[in-house]
């Protein structure tokens, strides 16, 4: 049985090129792309909150409600990845692989992280304040109570280290969704690849720093007791961000670079050397490619890259 998909080695090479391109983009475009990603994910967060606004089920079948909400949340990440918007959590993996692969300097990676984080925050707050807030989307019961309850469970109840560890698991799965979105060749395969790892992190109650940019500020907007801006920064941003960085950079980015690119820095990209699917013609061909060094690094991040997967996710 054969599958029409990229091999893990090819996917990691595309991730490296994509990270180099993202880290080299104009900062105004990075910011606007990150704003878009923050807005799109905020819509999915709103759907999740609406789905859980059923008091009887919350009291009698909380696991079922979490599972149902987790099934609908992934459409947010689908919209983000399929429109090539920049989510800081995904960038933790993309740019880390590019840096380790020596296609992007550390300074550009850190600048990209900062700009995408600020852009995601701006987009999330725009939806929270303008669309959800002044639009009174969650002002009526039982939706208001659902938001307050959810924000309290996310922010007040758990300890700092719990949120940190949940952040690691969250971005481990989110970056796997990014990985699978590249691995599939057709739209349906990409959507399925994105859906299930995202479903996993939501159903397990993990913490995503950008999702929390909607959940917690919306709770503050609606007057959730015991949640202040300072508490949100201390327990909603810092531990989640640190956990997401470790999950994306180490458990995904560094791992896949070590497994597939450390000893093979010149893996031909799909379309560059006629490599199709997961088949590489022979070991000798890889040896030949390593001596010829095809002009991949020089075109990393370039607009004229002919790789169809690179263009789609750049």
């Amino acid at each position: 049985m054969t599958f029409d998909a990229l091999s893990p080695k090819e996917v990691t090479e595309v991730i490296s090129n994509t990270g180099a391109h993202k880290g080299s983009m104009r900062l105004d475009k990075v910011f606007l792309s990150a704003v878009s990603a923050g807005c799109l994910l905020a819509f999915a967060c709103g759907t999740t909150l609406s789905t859980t606004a059923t008091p009887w089920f919350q009291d009698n079948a909380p696991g079922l409600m979490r599972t149902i909400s987790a099934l609908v949340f992934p459409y947010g990440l689908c919209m983000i990845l399929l429109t090539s918007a920049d989510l800081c959590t995904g960038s933790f993996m993309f740019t880390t692989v590019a840096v380790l692969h020596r296609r992007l300097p550390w300074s550009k990676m850190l600048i990209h992280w900062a700009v995408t984080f600020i852009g995601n925050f701006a987009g999330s707050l725009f939806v929270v304040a303008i669309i959800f807030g002044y639009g009174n989307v969650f002002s009526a019961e039982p939706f208001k109570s659902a938001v307050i309850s959810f924000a309290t469970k996310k922010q007040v109840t758990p300890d700092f280290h719990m949120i940190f560890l949940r952040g690691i698991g969250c971005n481990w799965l989110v970056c796997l969704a990014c990985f699978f979105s590249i691995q599939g060749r057709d739209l349906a395969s990409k959507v399925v690849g994105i859906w299930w790892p995202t479903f996993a992190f939501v159903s397990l109650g993990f913490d995503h720093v950008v999702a929390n940019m909607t959940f917690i500020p919306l709770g503050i907007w609606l007057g959730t007791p015991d949640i202040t801006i300072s508490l949100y920064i201390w327990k909603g941003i810092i531990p989640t961000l640190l956990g997401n960085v470790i999950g994306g950079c180490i458990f995904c980015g560094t791992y896949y670079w070590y497994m597939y690119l450390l000893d093979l820095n010149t893996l031909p990209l799909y379309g560059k050397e006629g490599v199709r699917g997961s088949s590489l013609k022979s070991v000798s061909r890889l040896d030949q490619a390593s001596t010829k060094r095809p002009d991949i690094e020089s075109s990393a991040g370039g607009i004229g890259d002919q790789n169809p997967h690179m263009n789609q996710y750049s």
Side-chain angles (χ1 to χ4, degrees):
M1 181 181 295
T2 59
F3 297 93
D4 187 17
L6 296 178
S7 70
K9 289 182 179 180
E10 292 172 309
V11 174
T12 309
E13 178 71 15
V14 174
I15 288 174
S16 174
N17 276 270
T18 303
H21 177 74
K22 286 179 176 292
S24 302
M25 284 176 60
R26 285 171 38 183
L27 294 184
D28 59 321
K29 289 190 173 184
V30 174
F31 177 76
L32 291 175
S33 178
V35 170
S36 174
C39 292
L40 295 177
L41 196 66
F43 292 140
C45 292
T47 302
T48 300
L49 292 170
S50 297
T51 305
T52 59
T54 310
W56 188 90
F57 279 103
Q58 284 292 347
D59 295 335
N60 296 277
L64 176 62
M65 294 309 299
R66 177 186 280 188
T67 301
I68 294 174
S69 64
L71 283 171
V72 299
F73 179 84
Y75 81 80
L77 192 59
C78 286
M79 293 191 297
I80 290 169
L81 291 176
L82 296 179
T83 59
S84 296
D86 281 290
L87 198 65
C88 67
T89 48
S91 293
F92 295 155
M93 176 184 69
F94 285 108
T95 54
T96 295
V97 174
V99 166
L100 294 174
H101 205 189
R102 299 181 181 180
R103 293 176 172 175
L104 185 71
W106 287 94
S107 58
K108 284 191 174 183
M109 179 187 76
L110 295 176
I111 292 172
H112 183 80
W113 288 7
V115 175
T116 53
F117 179 85
I118 295 171
N120 291 161
F121 202 18
S124 299
L125 292 183
F126 172 79
V127 173
V128 167
I130 305 302
I131 307 298
F132 293 163
Y134 289 116
N136 287 334
V137 176
F138 293 95
S139 60
E141 295 293 350
F143 303 105
K144 181 177 180 180
S145 296
V147 173
I148 293 174
S149 175
F150 193 90
T152 301
K153 292 176 182 178
K154 275 283 185 183
Q155 195 71 97
V156 179
T157 305
D159 295 329
F160 186 99
H161 73 280
M162 297 176 183
I163 300 173
F164 168 73
L165 294 173
R166 294 174 188 177
I168 294 176
C170 171
N171 210 32
W172 191 347
L173 290 167
V174 169
C175 289
L176 275 176
C178 297
F179 189 97
F180 295 151
S181 72
I182 294 175
Q183 191 163 28
R185 295 186 189 275
D186 59 277
L187 183 62
S189 299
K190 294 177 184 299
V191 170
V192 171
I194 296 168
W195 208 274
W196 293 113
T198 310
F199 161 79
F201 102 73
V202 179
S203 65
L204 292 169
F206 290 161
D207 281 274
H208 188 275
V209 68
V210 183
N212 284 354
M213 292 174 184
T214 298
F215 292 135
I216 311 305
L218 185 58
I220 295 174
W221 181 281
L222 295 175
T224 303
D226 302 324
I227 296 184
T228 62
I229 295 176
S230 60
L231 179 67
Y232 168 52
I233 294 173
W234 173 242
K235 289 181 67 178
I237 292 180
I238 295 176
T240 313
L241 179 61
L242 292 176
N244 288 170
V245 168
I246 292 175
C249 294
I250 297 178
F251 285 81
C252 282
T254 302
Y255 170 77
Y256 290 119
W257 166 80
Y258 185 85
M259 292 298 294
Y260 301 122
L261 297 182
L262 177 63
D263 300 320
L264 188 60
N265 282 342
T266 56
L267 177 70
L269 286 174
Y270 176 87
K272 282 284 187 183
E273 298 290 333
V275 179
R276 301 190 62 85
S278 60
S279 62
L280 298 177
K281 296 299 183 182
S282 63
V283 175
S284 61
R285 180 170 182 178
L286 289 179
D287 294 336
Q288 182 180 7
S290 63
T291 57
K292 289 186 176 180
R293 296 192 62 81
D295 191 22
I296 294 175
E297 294 190 14
S298 63
S299 63
I303 301 300
D305 195 340
Q306 298 302 311
N307 185 289
H309 300 280
M310 177 60 213
N311 290 336
Q312 185 170 0
Y313 288 92
S314 60

